[in-house]
Every structure is written in structure tokens, then in C-alpha cells.
Amino acid sequence: MAEYWHINPQFEDAVKAYLASPPEVEVDLDFAIPEKDFNTAGKGSSEVKLLLKRLVVDSETLRRIAVASYEAEINVAAHSRGGTMKCLIYDELIHIRFQDEGPGIADIAQAMVPGFSTADELVREFGFGAGLGLPNIEKNSDALHIVSAKDSPTLVELLIFFGES
């Protein structure tokens, strides 16, 4: 299994502290992401955004969460055999985990290159597959963690702190 980490230097200490000792979860949400179902993909991200808006998370942070989570949710629908989205909401951050059922990412470094895509024709017909999903997730997250290998499930985790950018 290959592993990829990207942490915004501004949040390095906060990420390390969170990973060492996560606080008590305020809200725990789970969403199923069916394979190639582009009518359903994105609904989890929308629900999370609406909830956070009611919790008065600032608009720039909401935008970043919406972009990163939507891109990840679409990636699960487009490139895997389906999976799940799990959101852990804390007082100061959101931790979102996307777990799919394979087929994995053969080369994570290559998948991080803007414009690289393994999207099939169906995915492209729906207007997805431009190869910007993972780069957009990285750009909008304070921390991004990916664990995957060819012919294996993929785990994508992102952390976004509230009120910071």
C-alpha cells in the first residue's frame, strides 16, 4: 500500500495534535456512495455543508469543505465500485473519510498531477474526469491523507479547520 500526506504548514502542529488525541466528536455522519450514480453522488457533501452553515461556519471554510468533499465523493462514484463518506465534526475542524471498495490508485503521485485522469467514457459523458479531483481536494484541505494501491480499496481523508484558511 502506498501512502500520501499533504499538510498545510500553517496547520502542521494542529494536525499532529488532532491525530495524537482527537477531541470528543460533536457530530458523526455516514453516507453511502454508489458506483457510477451521479444523481446521488454529492448529496453527502451538500448535507454536510447545510449542517455546517446552520452551525455558523464561515463562508470561506464552507466553500473549501464543499469543494473538497464533493470532489472526493465524485471520485468514489466515478472511479470505484462504490464506498462511504464519514464526517466527524468537532468544535474546530471537520474530518471527512472516504473509503471505497477498489480498484485502487496505481500511482498516487501521478494521480495528484492536475489533468491526469483514468476516467472511463461514461464518467466523461457526465462531465467528470478532467483530472482535477485530487488536486482540488489537496488545495482546499488543511491536511490530505491517501492510502491506496492497485487492486485495493482506497482511503482518502481530509481535515479542514474552521475559520482558518
Side-chain angles (χ1 to χ4, degrees):
M1 287 293 213
E3 188 170 12
Y4 176 89
W5 270 101
H6 177 269
I7 301 173
N8 179 332
Q10 177 182 350
F11 293 98
E12 192 167 343
D13 291 339
V15 169
K16 287 178 182 177
Y18 167 75
L19 294 174
S21 180
E24 187 173 325
V25 174
E26 298 292 323
V27 180
D28 184 340
L29 303 169
D30 292 289
F31 303 95
I33 307 170
E35 176 182 13
K36 303 279 195 280
D37 183 348
F38 299 109
N39 292 318
T40 301
K43 288 191 178 183
S45 298
S46 294
E47 286 187 36
V48 169
K49 180 183 174 188
L50 290 173
L51 172 63
L52 293 173
K53 189 173 186 177
R54 288 193 304 269
L55 295 174
V56 196
V57 171
D58 68 280
S59 61
E60 175 58 18
T61 303
L62 282 175
R63 183 197 64 75
R64 293 173 56 233
I65 292 167
V67 169
S69 62
Y70 180 79
E71 292 282 10
E73 204 170 345
I74 290 298
N75 276 356
V76 171
H79 299 289
S80 77
R81 294 185 285 272
T84 59
M85 172 182 175
K86 181 172 192 67
C87 299
L88 303 173
I89 301 172
Y90 302 91
D91 282 338
E92 297 180 359
L93 72 116
I94 186 167
H95 179 173
I96 310 176
R97 295 174 52 103
F98 295 88
Q99 180 73 53
D100 74 25
E101 298 172 18
I105 302 171
D107 184 338
I108 297 172
Q110 185 178 34
M112 294 305 298
V113 174
F116 176 79
S117 179
T118 59
D120 62 27
E121 195 57 39
L122 176 66
V123 171
R124 292 179 191 279
E125 285 176 17
F126 276 94
F128 302 108
L132 298 174
L134 289 174
N136 278 337
I137 296 166
E138 181 177 72
K139 178 179 158 187
N140 285 285
S141 299
D142 297 318
L144 171 63
H145 180 225
I146 303 171
V147 179
S148 191
K150 185 173 173 29
D151 300 322
S152 298
T154 296
L155 170 67
V156 173
E157 297 181 275
L158 58 103
L159 299 175
I160 299 176
F161 290 83
F162 300 145
E164 306 286 341
S165 53

